[in-house]
Amino acid sequence: MPDTPAGPVIVADEPGTFPYGVLAERHPAILRQVAADTPYGPEQRRALDALLVNCTEGPVTPLPAGAHDRDRWAAWGMDDHAGRSWHDVPWLWSESWFYRQLLQAVGYFEPGPWQGVDPFRPAKLAELDAPATDEELAALDALDDLPEDERARALLHGSLWGNRADLGFRMSAEGAEETAAVPALVADDGERLWSLLDGSPDGTLCLVADNAGRELVPDLLLIAHLLAQGRVTRAVLHVKPHPYYVSDATTADVLDAVRRLTAAKGAAGAYGHALRAALTDGRLELRAHPFSCAPLPYADMPDDLRADFAEATLTVLKGDLNYRRLVGDRYWPPTTPFADVTAYFPGAVAALRTLKSDVITGLAPETEAALDAEESGRWRTSGTHALIQVRT
């Protein structure tokens, strides 16, 4: 990485800050929602109640000795943070730890009747089956009359703004779904992105997914279009190996989204069948690397994942969490060059993100000044602003 001074690591120890609110308010709301959505038995409910107390009042407590991934979490900082308040360790770490402990509480990893049952599935399916999804799929028919370049850009922006469909964010941002998005992007490297997807014979797109449901659908539509138009010959979609951050996409969520598309009429149905064919013949491959759920920045990625990204013509990271992991979950000065903080990445990389946390890099000074003047600091976390950033 170039000699760029690092911003302070974000922690959630100051009441009134956005990270503090996530730990103090969003996480308890998620636990209550999980308990309401699924008829877990007494053992799981006691464990969820205990986690509610622990995550708001107690210290970080290590995983039990028999946990299948205990050694992995020890390497990821569990032993170093044990005994400390959740509010005093890096916010990225404590958020990820919360979801690992939630899965522990509901018996997701342990042999038994609840093994492999996604605690967030009811909410994911409700969103995927919502009337709003029907409206968005029906709107695809209108794109057929557009020139290919315009259709491609419409699908790219659909993928970008689909990042607003974040169940965890909506739990803690009152009115987030009704708040109007701001059309102008705070940073827009869209043309640079398209210049990389130029139809070269060995062109490979690697897309690191964020949320399931109404965000994953436009991600898949974009992939299907790029394959159909020959802008890339192969796509690799990275999803989570297990449920994470409420609505983060897993392989099961990809299958649900493809089924939703193939059952639709018109253009949406055609996209669904094309995606199913691409999965079958290998033009679209799925990955679920354990590091996708790590509480660490991508600068610490293991060698096999680094090699996977290095083979891609372009790696696109979707969403707020992936952005935090890409640039580092720090209070960077907003004008810190995006290229500097992503210089470690093994190949060309792009971020598609709506802003839902304090982390931001790559802004022009005049853009930062205008945003602060108009909205103080709220633009960083409101989910109403977005960006496309590319480092080649």
Side-chain angles (χ1 to χ4, degrees):
M1 183 180 294
D3 190 18
T4 301
V9 172
I10 296 178
V11 294
D13 60 346
E14 185 177 343
T17 61
F18 184 77
Y20 188 95
V22 169
L23 266 62
E25 300 169 14
R26 182 188 296 185
H27 288 178
I30 289 169
L31 289 171
R32 289 190 287 270
Q33 189 65 53
V34 165
D37 283 347
T38 302
Y40 288 113
E43 180 182 351
Q44 289 75 31
R45 292 183 177 278
R46 284 192 295 270
L48 288 170
D49 289 343
L51 177 56
L52 177 59
V53 174
N54 179 249
C55 74
T56 53
E57 302 174 16
V60 172
T61 304
L63 293 170
H68 77 284
D69 55 351
R70 196 181 195 283
D71 289 345
R72 183 181 298 150
W73 273 94
W76 287 347
M78 177 183 70
D79 293 343
D80 293 338
H81 297 321
R84 301 174 64 190
S85 166
W86 292 53
H87 289 275
D88 292 336
V89 302
W91 182 44
L92 175 63
W93 197 94
S94 59
E95 275 198 290
S96 299
W97 182 245
F98 169 77
Y99 290 100
R100 176 59 186 87
Q101 290 288 59
L102 192 158
L103 294 181
Q104 187 71 26
V106 299
Y108 181 87
F109 294 113
E110 304 303 318
W114 296 106
Q115 186 175 32
V117 176
D118 184 347
F120 310 124
R121 185 168 172 78
K124 291 175 178 177
L125 291 179
E127 184 193 76
L128 195 60
D129 294 334
T133 306
D134 290 321
E135 296 170 8
E136 290 164 359
L137 295 183
L140 290 171
D141 293 340
L143 297 184
D144 284 346
D145 297 329
L146 295 178
E148 194 279 326
D149 284 354
E150 291 184 31
R151 197 181 333 149
R153 283 168 174 75
L155 291 169
L156 175 67
H157 280 259
S159 176
L160 170 62
W161 287 109
N163 185 225
R164 299 186 81 211
D166 179 335
L167 296 171
F169 172 68
R170 295 210 303 270
M171 284 183 181
S172 62
E174 185 176 354
E177 191 74 345
E178 293 77 30
T179 304
V182 177
L185 304 184
V186 300
D188 187 359
D189 293 336
E191 292 306 314
R192 189 181 304 173
L193 183 149
W194 290 119
S195 72
L196 296 168
L197 304 176
D198 59 1
S200 59
D202 57 350
T204 298
L205 170 70
C206 184
L207 193 149
V208 182
D210 191 34
N211 298 305
R214 284 171 57 204
E215 178 178 354
L216 184 59
V217 166
D219 292 345
L220 291 170
L221 295 173
L222 177 63
I223 288 172
H225 181 81
L226 295 174
L227 288 170
Q229 296 299 318
R231 285 182 175 266
V232 297
T233 58
R234 177 172 169 265
V236 179
L237 179 63
H238 282 257
V239 295
K240 301 299 189 295
H242 55 72
Y244 191 58
Y245 274 70
V246 183
S247 55
D248 278 29
T250 65
T251 299
D253 298 319
V254 174
L255 298 180
D256 285 338
V258 172
R259 290 191 196 102
R260 182 73 162 88
L261 286 167
T262 54
K265 299 177 181 179
Y271 277 117
H273 288 290
L275 286 161
R276 186 179 177 88
L279 284 164
T280 302
D281 64 28
R283 287 174 297 128
L284 172 57
E285 298 181 37
L286 301 182
R287 296 277 196 279
H289 197 286
F291 192 77
S292 295
C293 294
L296 303 172
Y298 276 105
D300 296 336
M301 74 180 88
D303 290 342
D304 60 335
L305 185 58
R306 177 176 292 274
D308 205 21
F309 291 148
E311 292 179 358
T313 306
L314 174 67
T315 297
V316 174
L317 285 90
K318 279 294 307 293
D320 197 78
L321 173 60
N322 281 324
Y323 189 87
R324 291 164 57 193
R325 297 186 68 195
L326 175 64
V327 305
D329 202 36
R330 296 173 175 272
Y331 287 114
W332 296 104
T335 55
T336 302
F338 178 74
D340 286 2
V341 295
T342 58
Y344 71 89
F345 202 85
V349 63
L352 299 185
R353 176 211 183 193
T354 54
L355 277 58
K356 292 178 288 189
S357 68
D358 291 299
V359 180
I360 186 70
T361 66
L363 294 192
E366 59 272 21
T367 301
E368 180 193 5
L371 289 167
D372 282 338
E374 292 172 9
E375 304 179 44
S376 186
R378 292 187 300 276
W379 59 271
R380 293 173 178 251
T381 59
S382 64
T384 55
H385 294 271
L387 59 78
I388 300 174
Q389 292 176 322
V390 178
R391 194 226 74 209
T392 55

